Amino acid sequence: MVTFNWSRQKTYLLMGMVICGLLAMIFVTHNQRFYRQPIARVVKVTNGKAQRTEDEFKNVDHQTEQQITAVLMNGKYREKKVTIKNTFSDSQPMDQEYHVGDQLFLSQLVKRDGGLTANPAGQKRDTVVVFLGWLVITILLLTMGRAGTFALISVVIDTILFMIALVLDLHNQGNHVLLIFSVLALIFTAVSLLLVLGPTKKMLATFGSTIVGTTVAILVGVLVLSLTNNRGVYYESMQYVTQVPRPLFIAEILLGSLGAVMDESSDIVATLFELKRIDPNVSRMQLFMSGRSVGKSIMGPLVNVLFLIFMADTFTNSLLYLKNGNSWGYTFNMNMSLGMVQSLISGIGIVLAVPAVSVFGSLLLGRRK
């Protein structure tokens, strides 16, 4: 029979989080005055007749023009009505249909013919973002307790550190991008593990295996790319890059694989510590073999998850390329090749982390026979 441990402290925490959530939602629905960009609430929408369009690749779409009447919610024209024209298509690749009640950011707000006109610049979505953030924090605190609190603190600290690293990279014009993000990866790992696991043997084993697995994977990837002269790797597909793309790509792999390797290492170490708790006389060889067995069972799903994460980012662009008459080969090269390389190098890190964490765990915990 399953029992749920619900304490009075959790009841108070839930009540506090509900109050905080309500206050946050009230704030984000009435915070228009804090924005410099004009914001308006849609009060009337009139849709025109849909017009059929077709390109040279026989792609058929329909475009509809909207006549929108909205009321400004901030700025010097607050409470004034504004007329907005918007055009959206059925596929909505770069446009959007608006409805009554939506709050829109506006651009080119001008007075014309005795009235105000403007162009839509996107929908105000901070309410959704704040609600999802509140929901994640609430579930994390209620289910994980103190561990969830430290995990949340580590996320906040890592976000601040990442922003600092970006500022340093921009300040140095991308000249030391690998050095900056390598140091960032070390700090990420140390801060996250110290906050979640504390200064324990478990933290040392996880930290050592994470650094070893990630470092060796990156070195192997760089070596292979150098020996093959980067053939088949199309750095030009990295959009809007204003720095040398190759170091930036390596830094992206470093940060992308770090989380998966850390996750795998912490799972194996937790299992080894549980074995040590059950049998204090367990030998180092037994712990090593147990770590390898656990690693084999979770290695495959982790590699697949990482592959799907990297490849899912290219899904929409790939569909656009294929829909516009490009071949599968060209579509793969210009959209998916970098994601494939990232998946392969990160997979190397995941595989190498299994023996590394097994060795660290067995040396720290096992008894010499």
Side-chain angles (χ1 to χ4, degrees):
M1 182 177 179
V2 180
T3 59
F4 296 94
N5 185 17
W6 187 270
S7 61
R8 182 177 297 180
Q9 288 80 4
K10 287 188 176 181
T11 302
Y12 293 150
L13 176 61
L14 179 60
M15 293 173 59
M17 293 303 299
V18 170
I19 294 174
C20 291
L22 291 175
L23 293 176
M25 294 302 295
I26 292 173
F27 173 76
V28 294
T29 53
H30 298 83
N31 64 345
Q32 293 83 6
R33 67 184 66 183
F34 298 104
Y35 286 88
R36 294 183 179 179
Q37 192 172 2
I39 300 174
R41 185 182 72 255
V42 178
V43 295
K44 183 180 178 182
V45 177
T46 303
N47 290 342
K49 186 178 180 181
Q51 302 293 325
R52 186 178 185 273
T53 60
E54 183 176 345
D55 61 13
E56 64 270 23
F57 300 104
K58 305 301 180 182
N59 296 321
V60 177
D61 206 349
H62 296 85
Q63 289 187 340
T64 305
E65 187 173 296
Q66 287 185 306
Q67 191 77 16
I68 300 173
T69 303
V71 177
L72 286 161
M73 305 181 72
N74 63 344
K76 63 180 180 179
Y77 297 116
R78 189 169 180 266
E79 303 296 337
K80 300 289 186 182
K81 288 188 176 182
V82 58
T83 302
I84 306 168
K85 286 186 178 181
N86 177 54
T87 303
F88 70 92
S89 56
D90 291 347
S91 57
Q92 297 185 13
M94 299 295 290
D95 49 48
Q96 181 181 354
E97 180 183 4
Y98 297 115
H99 305 86
V100 174
D102 290 343
Q103 295 185 23
L104 312 179
F105 289 107
L106 304 180
S107 63
Q108 300 176 346
L109 178 63
V110 294
K111 237 179 180 180
R112 184 177 299 170
D113 299 330
L116 295 171
T117 61
N119 293 327
Q123 192 171 350
K124 183 175 179 288
R125 296 185 175 91
D126 55 354
T127 304
V128 177
V129 174
V130 169
F131 176 76
L132 290 177
W134 170 84
L135 185 62
V136 170
I137 294 172
T138 302
I139 294 175
L140 188 64
L141 295 180
L142 288 176
T143 57
M144 301 297 294
R146 183 180 179 185
T149 304
F150 282 115
L152 183 62
I153 294 173
S154 69
V155 170
V156 174
I157 294 176
D158 288 345
T159 303
I160 296 173
L161 292 173
F162 183 70
M163 294 174 66
I164 294 174
L166 290 179
V167 172
L168 290 175
D169 179 52
L170 294 174
H171 179 72
N172 289 278
Q173 302 295 324
N175 294 325
H176 306 289
V177 58
L178 279 178
L179 176 62
I180 292 173
F181 286 99
S182 297
V183 174
L184 179 67
L186 285 171
I187 299 175
F188 270 174
T189 308
V191 170
S192 300
L193 295 178
L194 278 173
L195 286 173
V196 176
L197 301 178
T200 60
K201 289 183 178 181
K202 187 184 295 187
M203 179 267 174
L204 288 176
T206 308
F207 179 83
S209 57
T210 300
I211 297 303
V212 169
T214 305
T215 302
V216 176
I218 295 297
L219 291 177
V220 171
V222 171
L223 178 62
V224 172
L225 291 175
S226 300
L227 292 176
T228 58
N229 293 321
N230 299 294
R231 286 195 297 269
V233 182
Y234 296 87
Y235 294 113
E236 60 269 23
S237 63
M238 297 176 65
Q239 299 179 2
Y240 313 118
V241 174
T242 58
Q243 300 178 6
V244 180
R246 188 172 182 270
L248 203 62
F249 177 64
I250 301 300
E252 186 178 351
I253 298 175
L254 174 64
L255 296 180
S257 61
L258 183 68
V261 176
M262 191 188 305
D263 182 27
E264 180 189 37
S265 300
S266 60
D267 290 343
I268 297 176
V269 169
T271 304
L272 297 183
F273 270 77
E274 186 64 20
L275 290 174
K276 174 68 175 179
R277 187 185 66 83
I278 295 174
D279 182 9
N281 296 319
V282 64
S283 67
R284 289 177 176 174
M285 182 54 66
Q286 289 173 327
L287 287 173
F288 177 77
M289 298 306 296
S290 299
R292 284 189 57 193
S293 299
V294 175
K296 288 178 182 179
S297 63
I298 65 176
M299 183 174 59
L302 273 176
V303 172
N304 281 289
V305 167
L306 210 60
F307 171 77
L308 293 175
I309 290 174
F310 284 133
M311 300 302 287
D313 188 44
T314 68
F315 182 68
T316 52
N317 280 343
S318 299
L319 286 179
L320 264 172
Y321 271 66
L322 293 172
K323 192 68 176 176
N324 285 279
N326 295 290
S327 65
W328 276 98
Y330 182 77
T331 301
F332 177 84
N333 290 335
M334 298 308 297
N335 291 281
M336 301 180 181
S337 61
L338 294 184
M340 179 65 72
V341 173
Q342 287 177 313
S343 303
L344 292 174
I345 296 177
S346 301
I348 294 172
I350 291 173
V351 173
L352 292 176
V354 174
V357 70
S358 300
V359 169
F360 280 114
S362 61
L363 291 176
L364 290 172
L365 297 177
R367 283 193 174 187
R368 187 178 302 170
K369 292 279 181 130

